[in-house]
Amino acid sequence: MPKLIVLTEGIEPTSFELTKEAASVGRDDENDITLPHQSVSGSHAELVMRGEDVHVRDLGSTNGTYINGNKVAESPLQPSEVITFGEVELKLDGPRKAQSHDKQLEQGVRLGNLDSAPKGPAKGFSKKSDKSGRYFVIFGVVVAFVIIGALVMAWTRLN
């Protein structure tokens, strides 16, 4: 039977056996797996058994659900992978083997959570300069001079 082992200190109990077909995870006591930490939403995620596979589904949590550091909305969970709810880390222990992460979905930032969104570009990326705006302005100025020149020449010939 698969179980989650708590890696973050201060969370009791230190492991949770996955005995139900669907187990709710969150900070509230009504959850099957209660993680009393401020970074965990009241109703954070759900762990679902699909045959021999364990799948995790984020329930619109504030601080997200991650597998090995990758934010997911829904994904299978492999044995020995680290799953993070908010800032609480757990590891799946057990013989069951999930498929692959081919259905892994990244969850975006909700409008209400923009203040908690990461600031700046992701690590390893640098901002490229946008030269198209500059070229557009230069082209506009040249076209304006051509039109003004044509109007001036036409006006001088008429007078």
Side-chain angles (χ1 to χ4, degrees):
M1 177 149 316
K3 70 178 177 177
L4 289 174
I5 299 171
V6 179
L7 302 177
T8 302
E9 292 184 25
I11 305 294
E12 293 292 332
T14 57
S15 66
F16 301 93
E17 285 200 32
L18 301 178
T19 57
K20 297 172 90 179
E21 188 174 317
S24 59
V25 179
R27 188 178 62 239
D28 294 340
D29 291 333
E30 295 84 35
N31 290 293
D32 299 310
I33 297 174
T34 303
L35 301 173
H37 192 273
Q38 73 237 11
S39 67
V40 178
S41 294
S43 181
H44 197 102
E46 182 177 44
L47 294 167
V48 179
M49 297 296 296
R50 294 185 184 154
E52 295 183 0
D53 298 343
V54 178
H55 290 250
V56 63
R57 178 176 40 223
D58 187 89
L59 299 176
S61 65
T62 301
N63 293 317
T65 300
Y66 298 80
I67 296 177
N68 295 333
N70 298 312
K71 191 170 189 177
V72 296
E74 183 172 350
S75 179
L77 186 60
Q78 302 279 350
S80 76
E81 285 187 315
V82 175
I83 184 166
T84 307
F85 301 109
E87 296 174 10
V88 178
E89 292 185 336
L90 303 99
K91 180 175 76 170
L92 180 65
D93 185 41
R96 297 179 185 218
K97 186 89 170 145
Q99 296 168 0
S100 67
H101 288 277
D102 59 350
K103 291 187 178 179
Q104 178 173 321
L105 302 173
E106 185 165 331
Q107 181 177 346
V109 177
R110 295 171 184 254
L111 288 177
N113 299 336
L114 289 177
D115 291 336
S116 65
K119 306 291 188 258
K123 293 178 184 175
F125 292 95
S126 61
K127 184 179 178 184
K128 293 183 179 181
S129 63
D130 184 14
K131 295 181 182 178
S132 61
R134 185 182 317 157
Y135 294 138
F136 183 75
V137 170
I138 292 171
F139 178 74
V141 169
V142 170
V143 169
F145 276 120
V146 169
I147 292 173
I148 291 171
L151 289 174
V152 168
M153 285 177 53
W155 186 71
T156 55
R157 288 189 181 174
L158 291 175
N159 288 336

